[in-house]
Amino acid sequence: MMYDRYTNYHHLNNLIWVWGPNGLRDLPLDEAYDYKDFYPGADYVDILGADIYHFDYEQRDYNDLLKVANGKIIALTETGELPKPEILAAQPEWAWFMVWTSWLWTDNTHERVRAIYGLPQTLNHEQVKTMLNKN
């Protein structure tokens, strides 16, 4: 409905559509379902994501999302606990991660924050500003 409203009614054609469902979890009564069962389709989605909390960075879930993405960009659209460097090494296709502000310090150790933001493939705010100012 939102896609139809924005593209057909308002005639917007410069939007990037990010689909970010709950990451799959093995919790009773959880509302996270197989990606393939609710994916709107390649015509409606530019980037596929997963909202992952409680450190549920399961390799099979990552592989399932890559399969559904079929070459499209994937991202960690919401996170609580940051992935460890080993997770990012095993799951290298994540284009970005977005951690909830309060969770950065309430659910992550200072060591984990430093480890993730210190990786060469991770850009922080200051690095992005510096890159933009060079152009």
Side-chain angles (χ1 to χ4, degrees):
M1 288 176 10
M2 196 163 92
Y3 179 91
D4 183 59
R5 177 80 177 182
Y6 287 1
T7 59
N8 297 322
Y9 181 81
H10 293 291
H11 304 289
L12 299 173
N13 62 5
N14 61 343
L15 301 174
I16 297 173
W17 293 93
V18 179
W19 178 68
N22 281 337
L24 304 178
R25 296 179 296 258
D26 298 325
L27 301 172
L29 304 174
D30 190 41
E31 293 183 4
Y33 305 100
D34 285 338
Y35 298 122
K36 64 179 175 34
D37 292 341
F38 288 90
Y39 177 52
D43 291 342
Y44 301 100
V45 174
D46 299 305
I47 299 170
L48 288 79
D51 297 353
I52 298 180
Y53 289 88
H54 310 297
F55 207 71
D56 293 328
Y57 296 98
E58 301 288 336
Q59 190 66 37
R60 78 181 140 89
D61 299 338
Y62 169 81
N63 294 339
D64 287 349
L65 186 62
L66 277 176
K67 186 175 180 180
V68 172
N70 194 29
K72 289 184 178 271
I73 294 171
I74 65 167
L76 291 166
T77 45
E78 292 181 14
T79 63
E81 296 87 359
L82 292 167
K84 294 178 182 174
E86 307 83 66
I87 297 291
L88 293 180
Q91 301 176 1
E93 296 299 316
W94 297 119
W96 79 77
F97 59 85
M98 194 248 356
V99 64
W100 280 99
T101 56
S102 63
W103 285 57
L104 184 63
W105 300 116
T106 61
D107 289 72
N108 293 283
T109 65
H110 288 265
E111 291 78 22
R112 176 157 318 144
V113 173
R114 277 190 218 95
I116 290 299
Y117 285 98
L119 293 172
Q121 69 265 37
T122 304
L123 296 176
N124 64 39
H125 180 70
E126 290 303 315
Q127 290 169 314
V128 172
K129 281 184 7 184
T130 301
M131 290 170 52
L132 292 173
N133 288 333
K134 287 182 181 178
N135 295 326

